[in-house]
Amino acid sequence: MNINKLDKGVLIFNIEKENGYKVVVIDTANRGQDAAVYWKDDFLQLKIRNDSYNQTSNALGIYKNFVTNKIDEEFDMTKTDKIDLLNRSMKYFKEKETFDMDEFTDEVISNPKAIESFKTFKSQYEDEFDTKINDTFEISNNAVKKQAKIYKSVLKLDKNFHIYIHGDNKLIEKGFDDEKAMNYYKVFFKEEA
């Protein structure tokens, strides 16, 4: 059978029965739609494994969602500050072997009100999706590599410029030019590469 023509399929591995079998699922016809929910949740009754890969992936995903969508509601932050928060979180996950919620929030977020807001956001996510994210877990390098691809460190300016920020956001200053009636960024650097 040609798997490229497969509409739905599931491969169940006959291992780890006590923890729930491992499965690989395909649903090419309904990517991200309600029928896919029926296929995975109602028919197959699948649950996401609570392993280091999923813990790492979920923690990074929740934090990214918090920074890109939620933090604006409570704090006045520039896009460069948000990118800096995302870069610091990715640095934490790349450098550490284990995740510790208190250590992460102190090192990456550091603002007590923002820390509390993030913990509330995480708790709401856990309730909504019935997925517990532990306060400590072993970091999966594979999950970090996969999430790094979707973590944006790009500052998009109109349709003219993209600035990739991988370092200190204090080397970028934002301003407004009255004469041209336009915003501008001033970027400081030691040498061109």
Side-chain angles (χ1 to χ4, degrees), residues 2-3 15 26 48 52 63 65 68 76 80 90 97 99 108-109 130 145 147-148 153 155 174 176-177 186:
N2 183 351
I3 62 169
I15 56 173
I26 187 168
I48 295 174
S52 66
Y63 183 73
N65 199 356
T68 56
D76 184 29
T80 55
M90 190 52 66
E97 291 183 14
F99 174 84
V108 176
I109 301 174
D130 194 26
K145 286 177 188 172
Q147 285 286 332
S153 58
L155 180 62
K174 184 177 183 179
F176 185 80
D177 187 307
K186 193 185 293 186

Side-chain angles (χ1 to χ4, degrees), residues 146-157:
K146 186 171 183 178
Q147 285 286 332
K149 293 176 185 175
I150 61 170
Y151 256 60
K152 301 269 187 215
S153 58
V154 180
L155 180 62
K156 295 180 181 178
L157 308 174

Side-chain angles (χ1 to χ4, degrees), residues 79-101:
K79 287 186 179 183
T80 55
D81 289 336
K82 287 180 171 184
I83 291 171
D84 183 54
L85 282 174
L86 292 175
N87 284 341
R88 289 195 318 217
S89 68
M90 190 52 66
K91 181 179 180 208
Y92 177 91
F93 276 88
K94 285 180 177 178
E95 291 177 353
K96 306 287 182 176
E97 291 183 14
T98 57
F99 174 84
D100 179 89
M101 178 61 75

Side-chain angles (χ1 to χ4, degrees), residues 9-15 20-25 43-44 46:
V10 62
L11 182 60
I12 302 170
F13 297 95
N14 192 13
I15 56 173
Y21 297 109
K22 285 186 177 183
V23 300
V24 178
V25 178
F43 185 72
L44 294 174
L46 298 178

